[in-house]
Amino acid sequence: SQTIHQWPATLVQPVGSPLSLECTVEGTSNPNLYWYRQAAGRGLQLLFYSVGIGQISSEVPQNLSASRPQDRQFILSSKKLLLSDSGFYLCAWMSGIGYTFGSGTRLTVV
Amino acid sequence: TQLLEQSPQFLSIQEGENLTVYCNSSSVFSSLQWYRQEPGEGPVLLVTVVTGGEVKKLKRLTFQFGDARKDSSLHITAAQPGDTGLYLCAGGNTGNQFYFGTGTSLTVIP
């Protein structure tokens, strides 16, 4: 069966520090992978998606970047975090019927 | 970005009551999905509807896709505390991504 792993679950980082969130998928090959950000109790904003190794599409200009170094690995990064980068970050892959999401990372920038 | 507005934004009801959540857009979608999300977790897919006018039932939950494929509703009969959560609709087309609605936070009071 397909599973998606995302870590860490929570993260507190100072302003100006770097960020690296990792997401890996098991049980499928060549998945479409996504990074979303969610404000508290609200909908999801698409940040990046990838249809293959090295292929990244960005939806909104921001302080973040993404990379896909391996087929089943998707990484969200920042060189210098801003206070506005705080939020709940979700990784997902798209199967034929819908998204399967990771358990999320709660990022607080202080 | 294709905007999907959900209403109401917040809903608090007593156990046993019925409720309806709406998802509206000015855009046409080829398919629409509903997800439920619990605090600190990723959203979980409930249903996908693809045909205008389609109705799907999942136990006490009834999902309907509008005839024009611009809107959808979720009706819950005899709500239970376990139905508590954030309900999200998401509309998609021929691309590799879905656009999420603004979310409805449901609390069912025992």
Side-chain angles (χ1 to χ4, degrees), chain A residues 94 99, chain B residues 2 4 28-33 49 65 69 89-100:
Chain A
M94 171 67 80
Y99 288 109
Chain B
Q2 296 166 300
L4 289 99
V28 176
F29 295 102
S30 59
S31 63
L32 194 136
Q33 301 174 340
V49 286
F65 201 10
R69 290 184 287 124
C89 64
N93 285 307
T94 55
N96 293 314
Q97 58 185 279
F98 279 71
Y99 295 94
F100 280 83

Side-chain angles (χ1 to χ4, degrees), chain A residues 34 38 42 49 97 99, chain B residues 9 33 35 37 48 96 98:
Chain A
Y34 303 80
Q38 184 178 31
R42 301 296 285 164
Y49 70 93
I97 59 171
Y99 288 109
Chain B
Q9 183 178 347
Q33 301 174 340
Y35 293 79
Q37 183 181 21
T48 300
N96 293 314
F98 279 71

Side-chain angles (χ1 to χ4, degrees), chain B residues 23 32 49 51-54 64-73:
Chain B
C23 173
L32 194 136
V49 286
T51 305
E54 181 178 2
Q64 183 164 9
F65 201 10
D67 291 341
R69 290 184 287 124
K70 293 182 179 181
D71 54 85
S72 180
S73 63

